[in-house]
Structures are given as structure tokens and as C-alpha cells.
């Protein structure tokens, strides 16, 4: 028998390695930008075409390479950054594996131009799938330019696996942000399809954060500074009232390297405990400096996780310094006699607990053992079934600023006697006209002839709002309320295009825009029953929904907008509802075209038949 084991040819080995290093265009962006930083560049330009599918180019003014180094840089395990295994434990560079360029060259067309400061002429090398095609002497400025074209040209499966341009571009921008945030002293610019998307002059950390995330960020930053023997912390956390629905503004850098750490993230969240609403995430931009010997970043070529020697201590220091900063800047309650009450709870936290007070009253009317109609004066009341209008009434209960839910009911407009499709009236399979009961501030329980109905209040209301909004948008029936003063909102340069793309649909829901420029949005009208204070939350949610959407052929901006707004405006889980609100919601739900599922295809209610229940008692 002959031997069967062979060594893989280099280009195959490189392709396999590439699978680990290069998942998508954003991975190339990360590697090239990190190389530029390791080369001590002071200015780095990133040029992208078609979300990196056609071109990714990074141009730096760093130290450049000699002709021999340029050639060697594409060999696997070729690195100038470590010489021995010991060096791994004292890393001061981003790269060290000597794998990135070899991997990239294995799966793309690459053009490198590079020149060192003191050299007269530079080197140009082109490669296709690990193979050197040309090598020339060229005139080129000091530094290095690497252009990566036709990514995955020789691995069609990988190429087809790439997401839409929007999604890939989003990943690229994320990487760009991470690198740019870690190095405020370096100037960065990014161009996509010929237009400038970011231009970040070298600056201090605060300015860098503001340049990336938009002018309004400045006022929300609270500095965090701490220096101990094992850890130095510097950076910012966002004030609690600016906490976001998404985790897009959460950044940890350890020794200037972006990392993800659920554990340290937990430390921050616990410092914010009680200050931000559930489901909101505080922003943070924190730089941690530790002894390179105390961390291990050598876990995976692209992973952003690292191992710390003494995680528990880091956790404790981080948590207490963030708490301290929030206290010091009067954001969290502290023992301070001059304490400004307005700063105490600058979010609707208090109102939330008030709203859940009247639960006991709800219980009283619910008696599953009697057939008797409850006669608490509701029996003659019926409600409009039209979803587009009924949600306005429902929404009243959501008004936060100190108004009590019950009082707002005077504003509800009822239609007398005549009504259709109500689950509670004239409907033979309904036993008790007004037996709804709110359970756990989450479900509305009701009896129907055949058994029991349990409705998820949040999903049900989403359905009601969603159909109403869609109707408004398709019929272009706009009802909007004029604001006394125009509302100015700031967005970052990558958020703004999303809003402008949805402008027309937003207008059909009732938004009136009077100004649209790079960063500022001016609004003079909002949909009926949307509070001015909620506008930014709605738009933020919308932006994050669009960003997370993976557009496919069924993608409809109108639908997405309706879903997103329905989600923002719907009654939340945990909100206590009066009897009237409960019934109104149930009626509105069953007046919908598709009452049984939420806009995101989740069940809005479940039924339990008497049989099912009987069986449980067998
Ligand atoms: P690593 O960064 O892990 O060393 P790479 O494959 O990314 O591996 O790069 C290989 C080598 O090529 C680097 O060690 C460095 O010496 C050189 N190099 C890569 N990019 C640049 C650049 N932009 N400027 C100068 N040298 C570079
Ligand atoms: Mg590298």
C-alpha cells in the first residue's frame, strides 16, 4: 500500500486559513486598518465600493515596506511583530499572526503599493489568488496602499453567502468606528462609492466620539476616569436618559483594541441599575489600560474576546468608577443637600410604578364562577371598532408625565349602543359581557363560551396599531398634530439616510418635516397621539430596525415602518390597564383583519377550551 497523506499546497492552506480570518468585507477592513495603525500611520483612508464587494482599499502614511518585505508580507506566518513565543505575552501591536495578508491574497485580487520614507522609489505588487502576477518599481508616496478587489472571486459559495450591500456596509462601518474610536490621535476618512461618509480629523477622545455619533452626543457624555495599580479607565458613559434600545453605542477598548466582554458589560449595567428602563442600554465608550502581560488575546484570529488574569477585580473597579461618575455628575441620586430633584430620575421610572397601582380594583369584578353579568356601569358602553381611531383612545393610557391612567379616560369617545364585531356584545358565544381580567400586567384573560381566552396585551396592541398605520400609509390618510415649536433632532451621518429614505412613508403616518440636512432633522408635525417626547424614541427604534433588517425581495419599507412604529407605541408588558382599556383593546383586536398574530408573526392570544381545562382536572 502506498502512503496517502500529502502536504496541502500553500495556496490551498492559505484559502483554508482565509476562511477563519476573512468572513466578510468588514474583516478585510479590520485587518488592513490595523496593519496601518501598526505601521504608525497618522492618517488612514478607507475607500469602499459596493459595500466592499468590488473594492476595499486602505491608504496609510505609515512606515511602508522595503521591496523584500513587501513580497514577504504575503507569505503565511510572515510578521514583523513578534519574534518568539514570549513576545505573545507582551503585545503592543494589533497584528502578530502574520496571517492576514496571506489569507486576503488567497481569495481576492490584491494590489499593494508601498514606500519607506527614505527610499527614492516604492514597490508595487499585484496578486491573484496567492499568485504574484506583477512586481514593479513605482513612484508612490510614503506609506502603504492596499487595494483588495473581487473578494471571494475564487470561492463563489462564500461570495453568494454575503449579505445585501446595506448589511455588509453596516459591518464595515462598525469596524471603522471601532478602529477610529480606539485611535482618536489618528485622522481617518471613509469613502463609499465615491462619496465621503466619514471625515475624522485627529482629535481628543470626546471629539472623536462626537464626530462619529453626531453633535447631540456631546451633551450626553459623562466622563469616567480612574487609575489603580492594575487598571486605568478613561472614557465616557452616556447619561441614563439617553440609553438606547440598541447596543450600538457600547464600546470597550482594552489597550486600544476593541473587545466584547459580556462580563464587563454586566459591570456597567449594574452601575446603571435602577437608572435606565428595562430593555434600554446605556451608551459607553471606555478605554481600559492594563499590563499587556495580564491579558491573553490569542484566542481566535478574529474574535474580539480576550482573557483577563483578574476579571473579578476589573469588574469591581469598573462598576464602582462608573457609579462614582454618575453620582459625581449628579446623574444618580447621591447624598447631596443641594441635590437637584430634576436630575434625580430623568426618565419615566417613577411614573411606571404609579401606573401599576390600581390592580386590586381589576380583580374585584372577575368571578369565573358566576354567570351573572357584572353591572358596574359599563354594560351600556360600547366602543368604536375602527382600529385607526380606536388606537388613539388606547394610547391615552400611555401618557407618561405624571397623569394617571384613569383620569385620561374622560377623553375617550364612546359610540353608543350600535356596534359591530364586538367580542363582548351581541355575540352569542360570549357569556359575560365585561369579564376581562388583567393577569401579571401582561395578559388579558377573558371567558368565551367555549372556554378561556388569554391575550398578550403588547402583541395585541401592536397588531391594532400596525393595521391602523398601514391603512393610513396606503390610503395616505394623514392626521397630524402641529407642534408649537419645531422639534430639532440630531442624527449621525449614517442614520440620516435611513430616515430620508423613509421620509414619504413617515409623512403618511403624520410626521411633518420642515428641515432635512446632514445631521439635523426639523419636525413641525407628529402623528396624532404621538407625544413630542416620544418622537426620538420612535425614530431611533426605526433606525435600528432598518439597520437590523436583512432586506430581501419581500422587503417593504412601508411595512417595516408600520411594524417599527407599532412596536414603539404599543402598550408595554408590565403596564396596568383599566377595565375599559382592556375591553377596548380586545374589541379593537378582534376588529383587525388578522387578529391572531402580531405584526412579527407571533401569537396574540391563545384559547383554552373547556375540554382542555376539564382534562387538566381529570
Ligand atoms: P501581522 O499584522 O499579523 O504581522 P499581516 O499579514 O497583517 O500580519 O501583515 C504582515 C506584515 O506585513 C506585517 O507584520 C508588517 O510587517 C507588514 N505590513 C502589512 N501591512 C502594512 C502596512 N500598511 N504598512 C507597513 N507594513 C505593513
Ligand atoms: Mg495584520
Amino acid at each position: 500500500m502506498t502512503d496517502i497523506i500529502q502536504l496541502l499546497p500553500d495556496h490551498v492552506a492559505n484559502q483554508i486559513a482565509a476562511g477563519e480570518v476573512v468572513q466578510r468585507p468588514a474583516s478585510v477592513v479590520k485587518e488592513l486598518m490595523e496593519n496601518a495603525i501598526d505601521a504608525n500611520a497618522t492618517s488612514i483612508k478607507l475607500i469602499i465600493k459596493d459595500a466592499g464587494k468590488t473594492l476595499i482599499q486602505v491608504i496609510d502614511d505609515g512606515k511602508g515596506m522595503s521591496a523584500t518585505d513587501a513580497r514577504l508580507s504575503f507569505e503565511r506566518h510572515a510578521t514583523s511583530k513578534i519574534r518568539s513565543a514570549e513576545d505573545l505575552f507582551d503585545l503592543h501591536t494589533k497584528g502578530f499572526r502574520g496571517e492576514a495578508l496571506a489569507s486576503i491574497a488567497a481569495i481576492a485580487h490584491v494590489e499593494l503599493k508601498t514606500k519607506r520614507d527614505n527610499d527614492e522609489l516604492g514597490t508595487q505588487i499585484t496578486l491573484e489568488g496567492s499568485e504574484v502576477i506583477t512586481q514593479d518599481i513605482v513612484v508612490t508616496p510614503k506609506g502603504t496602499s492596499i487595494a483588495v478587489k473581487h473578494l471571494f472571486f475564487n470561492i463563489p459559495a462564500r461570495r453568494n453567502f454575503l449579505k445585501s450591500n446595506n448589511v455588509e456596509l453596516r459591518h464595515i462601518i462598525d469596524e471603522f468606528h471601532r478602529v477610529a474610536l480606539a485611535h482618536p490621535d489618528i485622522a481617518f476618512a471613509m469613502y463609499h462609492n465615491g462619496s465621503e461618509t466619514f471625515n475624522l480629523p485627529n482629535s481628543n477622545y470626546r471629539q472623536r466620539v462626537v464626530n462619529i455619533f453626531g453633535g447631540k452626543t456631546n451633551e450626553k457624555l459623562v466622563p469616567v476616569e480612574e487609575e489603580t495599580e492594575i487598571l486605568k479607565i478613561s472614557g465616557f458613559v452616556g447619561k441614563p436618559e439617553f440609553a438606547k434600545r440598541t447596543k450600538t453605542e457600547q464600546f470597550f477598548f482594552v489597550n486600544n483594541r476593541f473587545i466584547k466582554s459580556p462580563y464587563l458589560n454586566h459591570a456597567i449595567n449594574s452601575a446603571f441599575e435602577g437608572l435606565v428602563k428595562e430593555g434600554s442600554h446605556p451608551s459607553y465608550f471606555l478605554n481600559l489600560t492594563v499590563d499587556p502581560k495580564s491579558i491573553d488575546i490569542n484566542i481566535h484570529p478574529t474574535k474580539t474576546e480576550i482573557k483577563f488574569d483578574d476579571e473579578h477585580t476589573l469588574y469591581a473597579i469598573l462598576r464602582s468608577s462608573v457609579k462614582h461618575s454618575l453620582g459625581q455628575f449628579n446623574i444618580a441620586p447621591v447624598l447631596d443637600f443641594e441635590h437637584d430633584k430634576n436630575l434625580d430620575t430623568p426618565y419615566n421610572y417613577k411614573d411606571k410604578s404609579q401606573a401599576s397601582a390600581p390592580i386590586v380594583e381589576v380583580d374585584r369584578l372577575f368571578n369565573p364562577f358566576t354567570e351573572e353579568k357584572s353591572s358596574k356601569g359599563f354594560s351600556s358602553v360600547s366602543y368604536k371598532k375602527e382600529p385607526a381611531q380606536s388606537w388613539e383612545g388606547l394610547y391615552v393610557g400611555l401618557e407618561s408625565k405624571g397623569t394617571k391612567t384613569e383620569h385620561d379616560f374622560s377623553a375617550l369617545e364612546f359610540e353608543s349602543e350600535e356596534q359591530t364585531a364586538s367580542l363582548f356584545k351581541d355575540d352569542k358565544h360570549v357569556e359575560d359581557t365585561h369579564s376581562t381580567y388583567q393577569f401579571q400586567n401582561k395578559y388579558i384573560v377573558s371567558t368565551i363560551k367555549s372556554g378561556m381566552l388569554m391575550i398578550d396585551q403588547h402583541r395585541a396592541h401592536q397588531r391594532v396599531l400596525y393595521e391602523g398605520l398601514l391603512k393610513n400609509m396606503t390610503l395616505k390618510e394623514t392626521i397630524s398634530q402641529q407642534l408649537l415649536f419645531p422639534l430639532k433632532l440630531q442624527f449621525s451621518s449614517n442614520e440620516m439616510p435611513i430616515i430620508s429614505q423613509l421620509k414619504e412613508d413617515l409623512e403618511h403616518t403624520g410626521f411633518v418635516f420642515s428641515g432635512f440636512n446632514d445631521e439635523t432633522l426639523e419636525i413641525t408635525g407628529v402623528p396624532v397621539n404621538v407625544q413630542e417626547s416620544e418622537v426620538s424614541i420612535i425614530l431611533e427604534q426605526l433606525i435600528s430596525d432598518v439597520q437590523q433588517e436583512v432586506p430581501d425581495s419581500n422587503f417593504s419599507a412601508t411595512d417595516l415602518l408600520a411594524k417599527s412604529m407599532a412596536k414603539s407605541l404599543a402598550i408595554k408588558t408590565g403596564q396596568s390597564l383599566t377595565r375599559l382599556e382592556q375591553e377596548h383593546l380586545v374589541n379593537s383586536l378582534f376588529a383587525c383583519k388578522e387578529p391572531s398574530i402580531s405584526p412579527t408573526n407571533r401569537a396574540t392570544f391563545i384559547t383554552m377550551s373547556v375540554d382542555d381545562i376539564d382534562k387538566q382536572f381529570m
Side-chain angles (χ1 to χ4, degrees), residues 321-554:
S321 9
V322 171
K323 270 198 131 154
H324 178 72
S325 290
L326 291 173
Q328 201 178 22
F329 288 85
N330 233 353
I331 302 268
V334 282
L335 280 180
D336 176 355
F337 296 109
E338 307 244 76
H339 184 93
D340 181 354
K341 280 275 182 294
N342 293 325
L343 290 170
D344 197 355
T345 32
Y347 32 84
N348 299 330
Y349 209 73
K350 288 180 185 162
D351 301 336
K352 239 188 144 177
S353 47
Q354 276 175 17
S356 53
I359 310 172
V360 189
E361 204 233 329
V362 176
D363 248 326
R364 210 176 49 206
L365 293 176
F366 180 65
N367 186 348
F369 303 107
T370 175
E371 300 252 77
E372 227 173 79
K373 289 182 190 245
S374 58
S375 54
K376 292 290 171 198
F378 295 125
S379 47
S380 65
V381 182
S382 61
Y383 315 99
K384 284 190 178 175
K385 106 173 225 247
E386 185 74 16
Q389 279 150 350
S390 42
W391 68 268
E392 300 167 19
L394 273 174
Y395 193 61
V396 170
L398 275 183
E399 278 171 350
S400 40
K401 303 277 174 286
T403 26
K404 281 217 174 172
T405 321
E406 307 94 280
H407 296 166
D408 291 331
F409 254 105
S410 54
L412 253 186
E413 195 195 323
F414 302 123
E415 239 180 21
S416 54
E417 298 306 338
E418 113 296 337
Q419 71 156 344
T420 43
S422 161
L423 195 71
F424 297 104
K425 272 211 105 191
D426 309 328
D427 211 340
K428 287 290 167 286
H429 60 266
V430 177
E431 301 260 296
D432 186 343
T433 321
H434 295 292
S435 57
T436 60
Y437 166 73
Q438 194 185 18
F439 174 61
Q440 299 273 322
N441 285 346
K442 184 172 184 192
Y443 300 108
I444 299 169
V445 183
S446 174
T447 52
I448 49 175
K449 190 172 183 190
S450 55
M452 208 167 89
L453 186 67
M454 204 181 254
I455 298 168
D456 180 311
Q457 64 186 44
H458 178 60
R459 292 184 191 171
H461 196 205
Q462 276 192 44
R463 165 54 60 184
V464 173
L465 293 175
Y466 170 73
E467 290 199 4
L469 286 161
L470 266 191
K471 194 179 135 212
N472 285 353
M473 283 185 258
T474 28
L475 298 182
K476 312 209 184 321
E477 255 179 21
T478 312
I479 327 162
S480 107
Q481 51 175 339
Q482 197 75 22
L483 296 176
L484 265 183
F485 303 102
L487 176 66
K488 284 201 177 123
L489 294 175
Q490 308 240 310
F491 290 98
S492 64
S493 48
N494 53 321
E495 294 173 331
M496 216 51 190
I498 295 177
I499 298 189
S500 79
Q501 195 190 326
L502 288 166
K503 182 167 179 265
E504 211 178 302
D505 280 321
L506 281 165
E507 284 167 349
H508 292 137
T509 68
F511 281 102
V512 181
F513 301 104
S514 54
F516 238 100
N517 67 33
D518 288 356
E519 279 200 350
T520 325
L521 190 63
E522 201 176 276
I523 299 172
T524 50
V526 296
V528 180
N529 285 312
V530 166
Q531 302 298 307
E532 197 173 327
S533 59
E534 284 159 344
V535 172
S536 71
I537 300 174
I538 293 172
L539 294 180
E540 237 177 54
Q541 178 71 54
L542 179 65
I543 290 168
S544 104
D545 286 346
V546 172
Q547 285 172 343
Q548 273 153 35
E549 177 75 13
V550 181
D552 55 24
S553 49
N554 301 322

Side-chain angles (χ1 to χ4, degrees), residues 130-186:
S130 296
E131 206 182 311
V132 178
I133 307 290
T134 63
Q135 173 158 1
D136 300 295
I137 296 167
V138 289
V139 177
T140 182
K142 173 205 171 200
T144 304
S145 153
I146 300 187
V148 176
K149 298 173 192 167
H150 312 302
L151 191 66
F152 298 130
F153 79 101
N154 49 359
I155 319 180
R158 294 297 297 274
R159 199 174 167 84
N160 294 336
F161 193 65
L162 292 177
K163 296 275 167 50
S164 72
N165 282 7
N166 271 349
V167 173
E168 295 301 340
L169 185 61
R170 181 72 246 155
H171 285 288
I172 291 177
I173 291 174
D174 285 346
E175 286 301 345
F176 179 82
H177 282 171
R178 290 167 184 177
V179 177
L181 278 172
H183 298 276
D185 51 330
I186 299 176

Side-chain angles (χ1 to χ4, degrees), residues 118-306:
N118 292 329
D119 293 344
E120 283 282 296
L121 292 165
T123 309
Q124 172 171 340
I125 298 179
T126 55
L127 300 98
E128 285 177 16
S130 296
E131 206 182 311
V132 178
I133 307 290
T134 63
Q135 173 158 1
D136 300 295
I137 296 167
V138 289
V139 177
T140 182
K142 173 205 171 200
T144 304
S145 153
I146 300 187
V148 176
K149 298 173 192 167
H150 312 302
L151 191 66
F152 298 130
F153 79 101
N154 49 359
I155 319 180
R158 294 297 297 274
R159 199 174 167 84
N160 294 336
F161 193 65
L162 292 177
K163 296 275 167 50
S164 72
N165 282 7
N166 271 349
V167 173
E168 295 301 340
L169 185 61
R170 181 72 246 155
H171 285 288
I172 291 177
I173 291 174
D174 285 346
E175 286 301 345
F176 179 82
H177 282 171
R178 290 167 184 177
V179 177
L181 278 172
H183 298 276
D185 51 330
I186 299 176
F188 290 91
M190 172 174 165
Y191 305 84
H192 184 232
N193 290 342
S195 55
E196 183 181 276
T197 24
F198 290 96
N199 188 347
L200 311 170
N202 74 340
S203 57
N204 61 31
Y205 193 50
R206 186 174 197 122
Q207 283 164 335
R208 177 57 52 91
V209 172
V210 170
N211 283 337
I212 292 178
F213 295 101
K216 77 167 175 191
T217 320
N218 197 22
E219 56 168 304
K220 71 182 193 190
L221 298 180
V222 180
V224 182
E225 298 289 338
E226 183 69 68
E227 191 158 0
T228 70
E229 256 172 40
I230 62 160
L231 170 69
K232 179 170 173 277
I233 306 172
S234 76
F236 303 94
V237 292
K239 291 179 188 164
E241 71 264 40
F242 294 101
K244 293 207 148 206
R245 301 277 173 120
T246 59
K247 300 181 180 177
T248 49
E249 291 188 1
Q250 301 193 325
F251 296 90
F252 277 124
F253 299 94
V254 173
N255 297 356
N256 294 330
R257 184 189 292 271
F258 172 81
I259 60 134
K260 286 186 185 144
S261 168
Y263 185 67
L264 295 184
N265 177 59
H266 192 273
I268 309 276
N269 284 340
S270 81
F272 272 88
E273 205 172 289
L275 294 175
V276 295
K277 282 192 274 183
E278 210 183 304
S280 297
H281 307 282
S283 305
Y284 56 82
F285 311 89
L286 293 172
N287 299 299
L288 316 184
T289 314
V290 297
D291 182 350
K293 293 188 186 68
S294 75
I295 51 173
D296 181 4
I297 43 185
N298 194 14
I299 300 177
H300 186 276
T302 57
K303 275 214 182 124
T304 42
E305 282 129 44
I306 64 176

Side-chain angles (χ1 to χ4, degrees), residues 31-32 35-36 38-39 60 62-65 69 73-75 78-81 94-102 114 143-144 146:
E31 295 296 339
L32 296 184
N35 278 348
D38 284 344
D60 69 53
K63 63 180 180 221
M65 286 179 265
D69 282 351
S73 68
F74 291 100
E75 295 296 323
T79 180
S80 55
K81 298 169 194 177
K94 309 263 168 195
F96 54 87
R97 298 172 161 269
E99 258 179 352
L101 288 187
T114 187
T144 304
I146 300 187

